[in-house]
Amino acid sequence: MTESIPASLRIVRGANRTLGRVAPSLTARLNQQLFSMPRRHAPRDWELALEMLATRRRLSDGLSLLEAGDGPTVALIHGWEGRATQFATFVPPLLQAGYRILAIDGPAHGRSSGRRADPYRFADALARVSREFGPLHGLVGHSMGGGSIAIALAAGLEARRVVSIASPASLRDVLGRYAAVMQMPPRATTRFIERFHHHVVRRGHRPVDVLELLEHVDTAALVIHARDDREVPFSDGERIAAHWRQAALMPVDGLGHRRILRDAAVVDATVAFLRG
């Protein structure tokens, strides 16, 4: 059966193939704009319980989050085009374990303001939450959220324990996979990655990839990754665990990239690890 490709994607791919050969810089700029503007998706029915369980907070910079519980603070941050309520399965067990939960809608995601996002903006959001709500005991990140945790820790954010779920090992690889999906020619791809790094430096971050950042992080971590993840390869989880000095890898099967957030064994392992 032939894969159904949206008409809009076919148009962008065709434009990239043609324009990318004659105007690689322009192609890189246009694709960077597309790459940094996430779509907002409504919560699924199973997520809505978290809105009822927690209190919605909005910070002065437009960042929105859900707060519940008392005790040591655990911050939860989702992945690209995700939302805080995707952690609905995690929150009741964490509350029962005695934690205070801060489930964050990343910039330009969920109910947070903004139109543009990337892992570095997510990392800045984690730092902002720590300043506003106090020290963090734990951090839990899914997909790009896990990558943003690595960036934040390397930049000085402190936490005792981290759980990284289905997270990419390399932002350069993520950019490369995006360029391949969008069928950008090689020169346009190179310019696209260079532009991303330029904007990162301009905002005060180091353009160092995730694995190199992790070599300087001492926080204890649990890396959970499904062998059948088709969006972020399982090998990324292996690489993260290998470079993170105090990390353990927990492979799982049959949970893909998103079902992993609803799995009872994954939730139990997360809570147990945060409790130490």
Side-chain angles (χ1 to χ4, degrees):
M1 182 179 293
T2 304
E3 179 186 5
S4 177
I5 300 174
S8 57
L9 178 57
R10 290 200 300 270
I11 292 170
V12 173
R13 285 174 166 178
N16 283 340
R17 290 194 301 268
T18 302
L19 188 62
R21 290 193 295 269
V22 296
S25 294
L26 175 60
T27 303
R29 179 167 61 83
L30 294 174
N31 278 272
Q32 184 191 21
Q33 292 175 358
L34 286 174
F35 178 80
S36 66
M37 297 177 67
R39 299 167 297 175
R40 296 181 194 254
H41 301 283
R44 302 288 182 88
D45 289 344
W46 62 269
E47 302 174 38
L48 298 178
L50 182 51
E51 290 282 0
M52 303 296 294
L53 186 62
T55 300
R56 176 70 65 172
R57 306 288 189 197
R58 180 173 291 276
L59 306 188
S60 59
D61 59 359
L63 196 70
S64 181
L65 55 84
L66 290 162
E67 180 184 14
D70 235 345
T73 301
V74 175
L76 312 168
I77 190 158
H78 58 79
W80 184 252
E81 295 186 344
R83 53 212 165 267
T85 51
Q86 287 177 304
F87 288 104
T89 307
F90 287 76
V91 172
L94 285 168
L95 293 177
Q96 187 174 6
Y99 291 110
R100 172 203 196 190
I101 303 305
L102 301 174
I104 303 165
D105 278 333
H109 288 72
R111 296 194 187 181
S112 289
S113 62
R115 295 183 60 206
R116 299 189 183 278
D118 58 49
Y120 294 88
R121 286 185 170 94
F122 272 43
D124 290 341
L126 287 170
R128 172 80 169 88
V129 166
S130 180
R131 291 194 300 271
E132 182 80 15
F133 292 91
L136 301 177
H137 169 80
L139 290 162
V140 181
H142 174 243
S143 194
M144 190 183 81
S148 72
I149 288 175
I151 295 168
L153 291 173
L157 181 67
E158 294 184 357
R160 293 185 62 188
R161 292 188 165 248
V162 170
V163 179
S164 177
I165 304 171
S167 300
S170 167
L171 299 179
R172 177 175 286 273
D173 288 353
V174 170
L175 295 171
R177 288 195 289 266
Y178 173 86
V181 168
M182 303 304 283
Q183 298 186 359
M184 296 166 61
R187 282 201 304 158
T189 297
T190 299
R191 301 283 176 83
F192 171 67
I193 295 173
E194 288 173 348
R195 282 186 63 86
F196 181 82
H197 286 165
H198 171 74
H199 282 271
V200 165
V201 172
R202 194 172 66 183
R203 298 208 310 268
H205 291 279
R206 293 184 297 154
V208 178
D209 217 341
V210 173
L211 294 182
E212 189 173 345
L213 291 172
L214 288 175
E215 292 176 351
H216 306 286
V217 171
D218 291 322
T219 309
L222 176 64
V223 179
I224 307 176
H225 214 114
R227 292 188 176 93
D228 64 329
D229 191 326
R230 299 174 69 176
E231 294 189 31
V232 179
F234 175 68
S235 59
D236 278 31
E238 293 179 308
R239 292 160 66 197
I240 290 172
H243 282 75
W244 201 325
R245 282 179 287 186
Q246 295 197 54
L249 176 64
M250 176 181 164
V252 294
D253 294 301
L255 298 178
H257 189 66
R258 292 182 177 82
R259 291 192 308 278
I260 197 168
L261 291 177
R262 300 181 68 184
D263 183 73
V266 170
V267 173
D268 289 346
T270 297
V271 176
F273 182 78
L274 291 173
R275 294 180 71 175

